[in-house]
């Protein structure tokens, strides 16, 4: 995985750098600590700056408001309130927010709802060597859209 991260960090379509060469800032949202840590490791491995993490919707909305990250990775299924609700709340703050849904359940009505409410794309977790490039391209494409 380290060799793949190194390769992807040099590719402008997957690295964590803006067109100006500055690290893109990300907010990682997932109720599972080990998933947040894994996504953080991946993002930092290709040049992103992880500006913050959140374990639930309230933390996510608060962190988005204060940190104003370039991108958000959003777990879809969390206790009490779903990632779809977070997408809606974040997009009410910033209609141009760049959010990628990260889900273990595949494409279903909840993913569709999240996309309709403002998420730019979705990827299936866990993020591993098989879907890593797809995940990073989804983030980079979301950043480039509407910018």
């Amino acid at each position: 995985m380290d060799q793949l991260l190194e390769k992807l960090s040099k590719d402008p379509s997957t690295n964590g750098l803006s067109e100006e060469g500055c690290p893109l800032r990300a907010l990682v949202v997932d109720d599972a600590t080990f998933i947040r840590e894994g996504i953080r490791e991946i993002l930092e491995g290709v040049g992103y700056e992880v500006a913050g993490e959140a374990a639930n919707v309230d933390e996510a909305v608060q962190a988005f408001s204060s940190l104003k990250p370039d991108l958000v990775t959003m777990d879809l299924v969390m206790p009490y309130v779903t990632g779809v609700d977070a997408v809606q709340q974040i997009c009410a703050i910033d209609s141009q927010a760049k959010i990628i849904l990260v889900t273990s359940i595949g494409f279903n009505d909840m993913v569709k709802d999240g996309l309709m409410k403002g998420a730019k794309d979705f990827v299936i977790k866990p993020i591993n060597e098989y879907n890593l490039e797809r995940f990073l391209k989804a983030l980079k494409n979301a950043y480039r859209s509407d910018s």
Side-chain angles (χ1 to χ4, degrees), residues 22-114:
C22 300
L24 296 172
R25 298 174 68 247
L27 172 62
V28 178
V29 182
D30 200 293
D31 59 311
T33 303
F34 77 98
I35 296 288
R36 287 195 315 271
E37 289 171 351
I39 291 174
R40 172 186 278 277
E41 184 179 326
I42 289 167
L43 293 177
E44 290 175 344
V46 295
Y48 285 86
E49 173 190 335
V50 176
E53 297 182 15
N56 60 53
V57 170
D58 291 338
E59 288 178 9
V61 173
Q62 183 177 17
F64 182 85
S65 294
S66 63
L67 299 171
K68 301 191 182 351
D70 299 306
L71 299 156
V72 179
T73 67
M74 179 66 65
D75 183 18
L76 197 53
V77 179
M78 292 185 279
Y80 311 113
V81 185
T82 70
V84 173
D85 296 309
V87 169
Q88 188 170 14
Q89 291 177 44
I90 288 171
C91 287
I93 295 166
D94 178 359
S95 63
Q96 300 301 310
K98 313 298 192 222
I99 304 169
I100 300 297
L101 301 173
V102 182
T103 179
S104 59
I105 57 176
F107 188 79
N108 66 11
D109 288 340
M110 194 181 295
V111 172
K112 192 175 180 181
D113 195 25

Side-chain angles (χ1 to χ4, degrees), residues 19-20 24 70-71 96 98 120 139-147:
E19 291 170 359
E20 296 79 27
L24 296 172
D70 299 306
L71 299 156
Q96 300 301 310
K98 313 298 192 222
K120 303 298 183 194
L139 287 171
K140 201 70 177 244
N141 288 338
Y143 171 73
R144 289 182 179 143
S145 73
D146 305 323
S147 0

Side-chain angles (χ1 to χ4, degrees), residues 5-25:
L5 283 174
E6 184 178 338
K7 174 186 163 209
L8 294 173
S9 71
K10 295 174 183 168
D11 182 343
S13 71
T14 53
N15 70 22
L17 301 178
S18 68
E19 291 170 359
E20 296 79 27
C22 300
L24 296 172
R25 298 174 68 247

